[in-house]
Amino acid sequence: MPKNQITTKSSQKTKAFAKKVLRELFKLNENKNYIICLYGNLGSGKTTFTQGLAEELEIKEIVNSPTFLIMKKYKPARRRHSRMSPSLASNKKYTLYHFDCYRVSDHQEILDLGWEEIISGENNIIVIEWPEKIKEILPKERLDLKFEFVDENIRKIKFELLNC
Ligand SMILES: Nc1ncnc2c1ncn2[C@@H]1O[C@H](COP(=O)(O)OP(=O)(O)O)[C@@H](O)[C@H]1O
Ligand SMILES: [Mg+2]
């Protein structure tokens, strides 16, 4: 990911960017966990970006803001053909964990959800909205994305891959 800033002009474009980001991460090392931190104000596009990730992971459930839940876990839709080649099926092996820490006041709340196990498990994509609320427990290896509202349909997204 050479460029570290992009401007999107629609929510569709933000979702397309999310898909591209995920494909780039998989190129780095396919079989690991990924921590993706989404910074930015309400309405800046964090959940929209997460919806793009879910589409790429072939998750059929609707992903929305889990504000009242703190965390929601999504599994990919079940394979229709059990003999699907590993390359075709590769995006389906991931579980998406979507955290929204907006209402979190103590990172212990996140630890209590099995955080250590989730971040050290296999094939997990861990997306965190409002990661600044839990900065004490964020792994050093992660992707940070900062979302800025420019106008109704335009968002600026800055990104930085840390220690990967
Ligand atoms: N370029 C864009 N990127 C992302 N969302 C956009 C864009 N343009 C308009 N939107 C709209 O802005 C809103 C973003 O909301 P959401 O993704 O829930 O933000 P957040 O999770 O950061 O609070 C959605 O209604 C989305 O359709
Ligand atoms: Mg949100």
Side-chain angles (χ1 to χ4, degrees):
M1 278 172 274
K3 266 175 73 181
N4 64 0
Q5 182 177 313
I6 186 177
T7 299
T8 64
K9 295 190 172 161
S10 69
S11 51
Q12 272 321 109
K13 291 268 167 63
T14 292
K15 288 182 199 174
F17 173 62
K19 293 175 189 192
K20 198 170 153 208
V21 164
L22 206 47
R23 290 195 293 267
E24 291 294 325
L25 287 177
F26 289 160
K27 275 191 213 162
L28 292 177
N29 180 354
E30 205 180 320
N31 289 299
K32 59 173 270 188
N33 284 347
Y34 294 99
I35 316 282
I36 303 175
C37 290
L38 310 181
Y39 300 81
N41 290 334
L42 284 172
S44 61
K46 304 181 296 297
T47 298
T48 302
F49 180 91
T50 310
Q51 288 165 351
L53 297 177
E55 279 176 27
E56 184 67 14
L57 295 170
E58 299 185 46
I59 287 162
K60 305 291 182 216
E61 258 180 280
I62 293 169
V63 172
N64 46 33
S65 235
T67 296
F68 297 100
L69 282 174
I70 303 181
M71 187 271 278
K72 209 161 171 224
K73 176 180 174 182
Y74 300 91
K75 290 250 189 204
R78 241 192 256 167
R79 282 173 211 169
R80 232 180 303 156
H81 307 292
S82 54
R83 287 190 192 173
M84 194 184 280
S85 77
S87 61
L88 275 175
S90 63
N91 285 356
K92 288 198 169 193
K93 69 184 175 197
Y94 292 96
T95 301
L96 174 67
Y97 288 87
H98 185 197
F99 287 85
D100 190 325
C101 299
Y102 186 62
R103 283 165 209 279
V104 170
S105 51
D106 182 343
H107 65 252
Q108 187 62 42
E109 292 171 58
I110 299 298
L111 294 178
D112 290 346
L113 294 171
W115 174 254
E116 293 294 342
E117 224 172 291
I118 294 166
I119 62 171
S120 60
E122 265 181 24
N123 297 330
N124 293 331
I125 311 279
I126 299 127
V127 178
I128 308 148
E129 297 191 34
W130 301 95
E132 53 270 62
K133 299 264 186 163
I134 58 163
K135 54 179 183 290
E136 299 89 343
I137 61 169
L138 289 177
K140 289 191 178 66
E141 286 186 10
R142 60 178 200 260
L143 176 66
D144 276 356
L145 295 113
K146 295 180 181 151
F147 290 74
E148 271 174 52
F149 180 101
V150 178
D151 75 17
E152 196 185 340
N153 294 308
I154 301 180
R155 303 292 184 272
K156 194 193 279 180
I157 310 168
K158 293 180 181 159
F159 49 94
E160 187 179 7
L161 192 58
L162 301 173
N163 305 303
C164 284

